[in-house]
Amino acid sequence: MILGMATTNPSTHPPSSAPYTPDRSRTTAIAPQGLAAFFILAFAFSWTTWWAGSHLLAGADPTPAVAVGAFGPMLAAIIVTAATQGRRGVGALFRRHSLRRRGGLLPYTATVLILLAIAGSAALPVYLGQAPLDEVALRQALMTVPVQFLLIALVGGGNEELGWRGFALPRLQGAHSPLAANVMLGIIWAVWHAPLFFMEGTSQSHIHFPSYVLLCLGITVVLGYVFNTARGGVIAAVITHAAINVLSGLKGVAVGSPASALEVGLVLLVAVFLLVCTRGRLGLPRNAGGEG
């Protein structure tokens, strides 16, 4: 009797059927809950900050105001996630910065391609004698690249990625195809920058807005591929975003041609190449994402 009680058949106790909960820090396509609130908050914070900066810092360096306003997407993502998913959701949002098992080197293949496109848009005109190269200014700028990269990754563009890719893109891909989701995000991202075109001293103030929209579309598609192949991680997107900004700045110093037609064309070519190679999925698995 004692032996029988001690060796009760485990088959009489079925295993727990607790539902499987996916790791939110690795999702690349989810329901678009809170998406409208995110965009409203991101635009409200950034545009208000930039408007105030353009008036309070009239004639001065706009960089501080631009940097503060760039935190709009990150703050919006944190606020909306806290409101809809609580502390655990916010924790999962920040775990997107984790480097563990995030696709290896695959996401960075797109980084290399888009950097080659931007570098080529500067080198080709110089090689053909269509643009002068300011070697002295370029050498001086190259010495500051590590510092520039770190600052841009933290406060000059890379900080936006927790909002655009970490929060917005998975929700857009949950309702639409990867191509449609990234095109929409690219247009929204370009419009979000609109106030900077009216602030003297910003890089956007020297660029034609239609060209900038096309450039944002191409870069967004590339960053979408980076995010998806990094399995929902944003560090690869931060690195890519910062590298693009640094190289674009070097190009402006070296040849003085921000967002040239050649650069826009080459960036769009990289985006089309990624779309063709992935059959429009941009690294998103077939069993994930909407098709609307």
Side-chain angles (χ1 to χ4, degrees), residues 52-252:
S54 65
H55 287 75
L56 297 176
L57 301 175
D61 184 359
T63 301
V66 173
V68 173
F71 280 92
M74 174 186 281
L75 292 175
I78 295 170
I79 292 170
V80 176
T81 301
T84 58
Q85 299 176 3
R87 288 180 57 185
R88 293 184 66 180
V90 174
L93 180 68
F94 278 98
R95 284 201 306 275
R96 288 191 181 275
H97 288 108
S98 167
L99 286 170
R100 295 186 61 188
R101 299 185 300 279
R102 291 294 189 180
L105 296 177
L106 183 60
Y108 300 100
T109 57
T111 307
V112 171
L113 288 175
I114 196 168
L115 293 181
L116 287 174
I118 296 172
S121 70
L124 188 59
V126 172
Y127 177 77
L128 297 175
Q130 297 174 350
L133 174 63
D134 192 335
E135 295 185 33
V136 174
L138 179 59
R139 280 197 295 268
Q140 293 175 344
L142 285 171
M143 294 177 63
T144 66
V145 162
V147 175
Q148 287 185 50
F149 181 88
L150 183 61
L151 288 175
I152 291 173
L154 294 175
V155 299
N159 51 315
E160 301 170 24
E161 290 304 318
L162 193 66
W164 298 134
R165 248 58 58 179
F167 183 94
L169 184 57
R171 287 160 175 79
L172 286 170
Q173 290 186 151
H176 305 279
S177 69
L179 175 57
N182 281 279
V183 167
M184 285 188 284
L185 186 58
I187 293 172
I188 292 169
W189 187 36
V191 174
W192 175 76
H193 285 94
L196 302 183
F197 286 80
F198 303 97
M199 292 176 66
E200 187 176 352
T202 64
S203 59
Q204 286 82 4
S205 64
H206 304 289
I207 304 174
H208 295 295
F209 187 69
S211 297
Y212 191 76
V213 172
L214 293 174
L215 191 64
C216 283
L217 284 172
I219 292 174
T220 301
V221 168
V222 172
L223 288 172
Y225 172 85
V226 170
F227 174 78
N228 288 331
T229 54
R231 300 172 185 173
V234 298
I235 286 294
V238 169
I239 291 172
T240 304
H241 194 150
I244 289 171
N245 284 12
V246 168
L247 188 57
S248 296
L250 291 175
K251 180 194 171 191

